[in-house]
Amino acid sequence: MEKINRLFEASVKQYWDSPALSDFRVSTENYSVLATKIAKLHLLWEKAGLLPSDKVAINAKSSSHWAEVFLAAVSGGYVSVQLYNAFLPADTQSLVNHSDSRILYTEKNNFSSMDFDAMPALVAAIDIDSMEILASRGDFSEIYAGLDQLFAERYPQGLTIADVNYDRFGMDDVCAIMYTSGSTGSPKGVMLTIRNFSWNVERFSELAPYGRGENYVSILPYSHIFGLTCDLVTPMCLGMHVVILCKMPVPVNVEAIMQEYKPKIFFAVPLVLNKFVEYTVGSEIHSAEGKAKLDAYEQHPEYSAMLRDRILNALGGNIKVFVTGGAAIAPEIESLLAFKLRLPFITGYGMSECAPLLAIGKLGSYKARSCGECIYDLDVRIDSPDEKNCPGEFQLKGPCVFSGYYNNPEATAACFTEDGYFRTGDIGVIDDDRTLFLMGRCKNMLLSANGQNIYPEEIETLLNGLAYVAESVVVQRGSQLHAIIVPDMQKAETAGIDGGSFQSIMAANIEILNRRLPAYEAVNSFELRLEPFSKTPKGSIRRFLYS
């Protein structure tokens, strides 16, 4: 297994004059320009007194500048600290201090609500868009002002391929800290090593059609491990041209970037795919004729082919596979994509603590409601007497497993079993092909009056697929199940439905839902909520607020 810093170094040298990073319809830089920017960052941090393994925090939206800072940290022997840009300023300050970060790259509007004095370990805060200093200490501003002169002295002939050397980390050195949050408690800093990322890059490049030197469209946030590994680290290690959307991934923007760059592979969360399907074929799949033909799709292959071609053409016409993960996909959308339209669609599953890959599907052998097959060289198990039929916690060992939570030994100890398996906190079963089926989170499991285990996420996935439901949470009130439903206001408005009709629509949805559930999982009551649920940085609903 080759280290990611060596793989990235090889990409820089092989594709020196080829495009490396683009902000969609804004800017493009070759690998040679990227290498020069990285060298300047290395020089700046060195002169500012940063030492190997010091922390460089990034608190911003995905962009080429975000990528430059991260790649400079990993290639220079520093630790990149990823902070979600939607954290409250006070939370960002707390995490900057908790991570012992020495320099912060952020956005000016975020920093305006921060207190630099409350982050005493920082030598500087820099606006990632303009690269201007927002605040600094000591002689940092003088060093920054003279950086071009320092660079000219260090590289009098300019940076050359021979100057590029990124082998400054060992395989088990920590190179990144991902701050994420569960539904309760404070965010934890997930310490990821070069080995964690290197194994992921090797497996992703084996199992998905990343093409060396080809275009790659990036729409996922880099502050989440799904986006960081799939949309940045892996393609950069393969010398690809990464084109970053830098806008909201609404269908019109996704279509524009896909049409222009025509990638072969595309990663997106289910919400983005759902909206894209609605945008491209929504009128057809919701029409009476379309519904009838799709219900009998095997008798109407030409109709399915027409819809399939329309979606693929909207995705640029060159897609070999598109992958979703990060959340459960609605059964109706899954059935439409994988079976009725037979699109090159698969699902995957991972966690921040595993950088992230744990399971991924295979084209041609899609299994409904699965997360794909567990990666072949992971030691996995279900903590139950019968892992094929009796749900239990999914646990594993392998080179992807993180080294612990930063400065939090108690939390680290709690997530490993006595025999060293990582406890994912997810409940599921595994079949004979090592295909993983998840039911929900251990901590979310409910117990019925007669002792049956209830996984609310499974009920919510079904409910979210019904008419005019945007999102939902199922909770236990006494001995009964209660659904809190956020209506899809935009879809209702488009259909000419006013708010007064939601009560009857949702009552009908609950009837439909309960017909699909065993009696002990029946939802007995519901309420409407007209605002989205509060969510963690990775998009999980903060369930404890509604229980």
Side-chain angles (χ1 to χ4, degrees):
M1 181 167 57
E2 187 67 275
K3 294 185 290 187
I4 57 165
N5 35 341
R6 293 296 303 275
L7 291 171
F8 176 56
E9 177 187 320
S11 290
V12 169
K13 292 177 175 179
Q14 181 177 355
Y15 296 97
W16 188 255
D17 294 318
S18 300
L21 292 169
S22 292
D23 290 333
F24 182 48
R25 294 180 177 172
V26 174
S27 63
T28 296
E29 62 191 46
N30 287 351
Y31 274 90
S32 58
V33 174
L34 173 59
T36 297
K37 290 184 175 182
I38 287 173
K40 286 187 175 182
L41 287 172
H42 289 169
L43 188 56
L44 172 66
W45 299 341
E46 172 194 326
K47 296 298 183 182
L50 271 68
L51 300 174
S53 295
D54 272 352
K55 317 300 189 300
V56 177
I58 313 174
N59 167 232
K61 301 180 186 71
S62 300
S63 68
S64 59
H65 287 169
W66 198 112
E68 291 160 9
V69 175
F70 174 84
L71 293 167
V74 174
S75 64
Y78 304 97
V79 177
S80 177
V81 177
Q82 285 66 248
L83 303 176
Y84 186 49
N85 69 293
F87 274 135
L88 294 174
D91 292 334
T92 298
Q93 287 179 193
S94 175
L95 296 177
V96 165
N97 291 332
H98 182 268
S99 64
D100 301 311
S101 291
R102 300 296 316 286
I103 190 165
L104 169 65
Y105 288 84
T106 186
E107 297 167 356
K108 188 179 295 184
N109 61 329
N110 286 352
F111 187 75
S112 64
S113 299
M114 297 182 201
D115 180 2
F116 188 66
D117 290 336
M119 299 177 282
L122 290 182
V123 297
I126 295 176
D127 177 52
I128 203 163
D129 295 322
S130 65
M131 287 297 178
E132 67 175 286
I133 297 175
L134 299 172
S136 66
R137 292 185 170 92
D139 59 354
F140 185 88
S141 59
E142 289 78 15
I143 295 171
Y144 198 68
L147 185 58
D148 286 342
Q149 179 61 33
L150 290 170
F151 183 81
E153 293 170 1
R154 176 74 59 92
Y155 304 103
Q157 306 302 318
L159 189 78
T160 67
I161 291 178
D163 296 316
V164 176
N165 176 14
Y166 297 154
D167 192 14
R168 305 183 194 186
F169 265 133
M171 188 67 88
D172 293 309
D173 289 335
V174 172
C175 64
I177 300 176
M178 306 291 299
Y179 274 92
T180 183
S181 176
S183 297
T184 59
S186 300
K188 303 185 185 84
V190 176
M191 295 189 291
L192 297 172
T193 66
I194 291 291
R195 184 182 303 278
N196 299 152
F197 280 109
S198 300
W199 179 87
N200 268 268
V201 168
E202 188 172 273
R203 294 299 165 269
F204 270 119
S205 58
E206 289 173 356
L207 301 170
Y210 286 92
R212 186 171 293 277
E214 296 178 355
N215 289 335
Y216 184 93
V217 166
S218 168
I219 71 165
L220 296 168
Y222 297 156
S223 55
H224 294 178
I225 192 63
F226 185 21
L228 181 59
T229 300
C230 299
D231 270 15
L232 182 62
V233 176
T234 300
M236 295 305 292
C237 285
L238 295 172
M240 300 183 78
H241 174 202
V242 176
V243 186
I244 307 164
L245 182 59
C246 299
K247 301 176 182 178
M248 290 295 291
V250 296
V252 66
N253 291 338
V254 172
E255 182 179 34
I257 193 171
M258 297 294 283
Q259 290 281 341
E260 192 162 328
Y261 287 95
K262 304 183 184 307
K264 289 182 180 176
I265 183 172
F266 180 58
F267 285 84
V269 295
L271 180 60
V272 171
L273 287 183
N274 291 355
K275 290 184 176 181
F276 197 80
V277 168
E278 288 288 337
Y279 172 74
T280 51
V281 297
S283 59
E284 284 79 12
I285 64 176
H286 296 307
S287 69
E289 178 188 6
K291 287 180 179 179
K293 288 184 176 180
L294 289 172
D295 285 344
Y297 65 93
E298 292 179 338
Q299 282 74 54
H300 299 279
E302 74 294 335
Y303 190 74
S304 294
M306 182 271 290
L307 297 181
R308 178 174 60 248
D309 290 346
R310 185 178 298 180
I311 292 173
L312 290 176
N313 288 336
L315 288 171
N318 202 30
I319 286 290
K320 304 302 180 189
V321 63
F322 58 97
V323 188
T324 189
I329 189 167
E332 290 78 4
I333 296 295
E334 177 188 51
S335 175
L336 177 72
L337 299 178
F339 302 111
K340 296 179 180 180
L341 303 189
R342 295 179 183 173
L343 283 157
F345 162 76
I346 56 175
T347 56
Y349 161 68
M351 299 188 71
S352 299
E353 288 85 349
C354 297
L357 186 61
L358 294 174
I360 194 167
K362 292 182 179 179
L363 289 177
S365 58
Y366 192 94
K367 295 183 181 180
R369 312 308 303 143
S370 79
C371 300
E373 294 180 20
C374 297
I375 305 306
Y376 59 86
D377 57 345
L378 294 180
D379 178 3
V380 302
R381 71 184 186 188
I382 297 293
D383 185 23
S384 81
D386 179 1
E387 67 177 17
K388 298 175 188 175
N389 301 297
C390 180
E393 184 181 35
F394 178 59
Q395 301 174 352
L396 71 133
K397 291 180 180 180
C400 61
V401 178
F402 76 137
S403 61
Y405 297 112
Y406 188 70
N407 283 343
N408 198 337
E410 295 83 8
T412 299
C415 69
F416 287 93
T417 64
E418 290 185 0
D419 54 349
Y421 282 79
F422 171 60
R423 303 182 59 183
T424 67
D426 288 322
I427 296 175
V429 296
I430 299 177
D431 71 10
D432 289 331
D433 299 321
R434 286 172 53 99
T435 301
L436 178 65
F437 299 82
L438 293 179
M439 283 74 176
R441 297 286 291 168
C442 295
K443 62 185 177 183
N444 297 337
M445 190 185 76
L446 306 174
L447 196 64
S448 73
N450 62 356
Q452 292 279 1
N453 293 339
I454 298 172
Y455 305 103
E457 294 96 334
E458 289 192 315
I459 302 173
E460 292 157 8
T461 299
L462 290 173
L463 180 52
N464 293 346
L466 297 178
Y468 306 109
V469 177
E471 55 183 352
S472 63
V473 168
V474 173
V475 299
Q476 204 162 26
R477 299 279 169 85
S479 61
Q480 297 186 327
L481 297 184
H482 178 79
I484 307 170
I485 303 170
V486 177
D488 191 328
M489 307 296 285
Q490 183 177 2
K491 190 177 290 185
E493 183 179 343
T494 301
I497 295 172
D498 60 50
S501 303
F502 283 137
Q503 197 71 24
S504 60
I505 290 173
M506 297 308 164
N509 280 341
I510 295 298
E511 289 185 13
I512 296 170
L513 174 70
N514 286 339
R515 287 198 294 268
R516 300 179 181 179
L517 295 170
Y520 66 87
E521 289 186 343
V523 173
N524 304 100
S525 58
F526 73 92
E527 66 185 84
L528 297 178
R529 176 184 170 86
L530 300 182
E531 295 180 354
F533 294 112
S534 174
K535 297 181 177 67
T536 68
K538 61 182 180 182
S540 302
I541 294 172
R542 298 182 190 272
R543 307 179 70 92
F544 69 96
L545 295 175
Y546 310 102
S547 60

